[in-house]
Amino acid sequence: MHLAPRALRRAVAAATIALLATAVGCAPQPEEKASDNASGSTGSTCAKGKLATKTSGKLTVATDEPAYEPWFKDDKPANGKGFESAVAYAVAKQLGYDKSAVVWQSVPFNKAFAPGVKTFDFDINQVSISAERKKAVDFSSGYYDVRQAVIALKDSKAAKATGIADLKNLKLGAQVGTTSLDYITDVVKPKQEAAVYAKNDQAKSALKNGQVDAIVVDLPTAFYITAAEVTNAEIVGQFENQGGTPEQFGLVLDKGSALTSCVTDAVDALRKDGTLSKIEKQWLSDAVDAPVLK
């Protein structure tokens, strides 16, 4: 059956409109719109003091409890004293949040980079950036280049070690989930299984009590422990960075966080303008060179 001319024209017009509507619906978004919605994108999403934080107008920062020196002072992350407390507030300022807008939260070390949704905007707790950890969380760029060090009681057999080979017959200990423990298992490869502790305090007690011959911690912590906490211990030496790439501490964020690029930009800006260097000199000035264990 043939349509009348007028009906035919109406059918053609309707079909044309339908086709146009379909074309528009399938068309890609303009670049500006797409970038606005991109996770971690810069631009408007990094507006000073107006980030998509857990609590509007506030920046929630997490760290472990207790908060150790020299990274924090007097176990009070909110006082702005200690290297990581100072870095956290410097990053907050760079993002447009003053000290009164920063909310601190206690999160165990291992939980900070475990899979799952986070309750903080970023965590700062001497967490080394690694490919394995990046599977579960995001990291900012590194805010501190670090090396691992060995501590032993003075006049002990372990204190006389001058190289990695001298450590292989020793009982070594470190905190669970740390790169300190990784250095024991992957670099030293001791004949005895490493002693693993939930906290550095437990590792220090084990060293004092002779339950281990030596413990491994990051170098600044090693200087603090030997100077103020276990004064009859000394730094045996530090490890070289593995693979030529320096180990770095990074701020930990939720996997796919919209804040990651903003926080990374803030850290990069603080490194570029010398702020990170100034903070390091103020709070980690004692962390000078130690013998290198090869």
Side-chain angles (χ1 to χ4, degrees), residues 38-230:
S39 175
S41 61
T42 54
S44 61
T45 57
C46 292
K48 297 280 187 179
K50 297 180 180 180
L51 278 66
T53 54
K54 298 292 182 182
T55 302
S56 180
K58 300 288 185 180
L59 190 67
T60 302
V61 181
T63 195
D64 201 355
E65 185 180 1
Y68 298 108
E69 298 194 29
W71 310 105
F72 299 93
K73 189 78 172 173
D74 303 323
D75 193 19
K76 296 178 180 178
N79 64 13
K81 298 177 181 179
F83 178 75
E84 290 193 325
S85 181
V87 168
Y89 282 118
V91 171
K93 184 178 179 181
Q94 192 71 27
L95 294 172
Y97 296 87
D98 61 27
K99 193 171 182 179
S100 64
V102 176
V103 179
W104 286 90
Q105 185 181 98
S106 175
V107 173
F109 178 80
N110 263 356
K111 191 174 179 181
F113 51 86
V117 177
K118 305 308 175 192
T119 55
F120 51 77
D121 293 311
F122 69 75
D123 178 278
I124 182 166
N125 190 25
Q126 306 111 67
V127 181
S128 296
I129 301 168
S130 74
E132 184 63 28
R133 289 172 179 171
K134 281 183 177 180
K135 294 176 183 177
V137 294
D138 281 359
F139 280 96
S140 70
S141 52
Y143 61 86
Y144 180 68
D145 297 351
V146 66
R147 286 192 177 190
Q148 299 299 317
V150 179
I151 301 173
L153 297 180
K154 295 175 181 177
D155 300 323
S156 68
K157 178 182 177 182
K160 297 178 175 62
T162 58
I164 292 173
D166 299 324
L167 302 174
K168 290 186 180 295
N169 291 318
L170 303 179
K171 182 68 174 180
L172 304 175
Q175 183 178 345
V176 65
T178 60
T179 49
S180 303
L181 183 58
D182 291 340
Y183 267 75
I184 294 175
T185 56
D186 300 337
V187 178
V188 179
K189 300 177 182 177
K191 295 178 180 178
Q192 300 181 62
E193 188 175 351
V196 182
Y197 303 97
K199 301 276 187 181
N200 264 338
D201 276 346
Q202 296 171 355
K204 287 180 288 187
S205 294
L207 179 64
K208 286 180 184 179
N209 297 331
Q211 294 169 308
V212 292
D213 297 310
I215 60 173
V216 178
V217 295
D218 58 78
L219 187 58
T221 298
F223 274 98
Y224 181 77
I225 289 173
T226 54
E229 297 183 318
V230 189

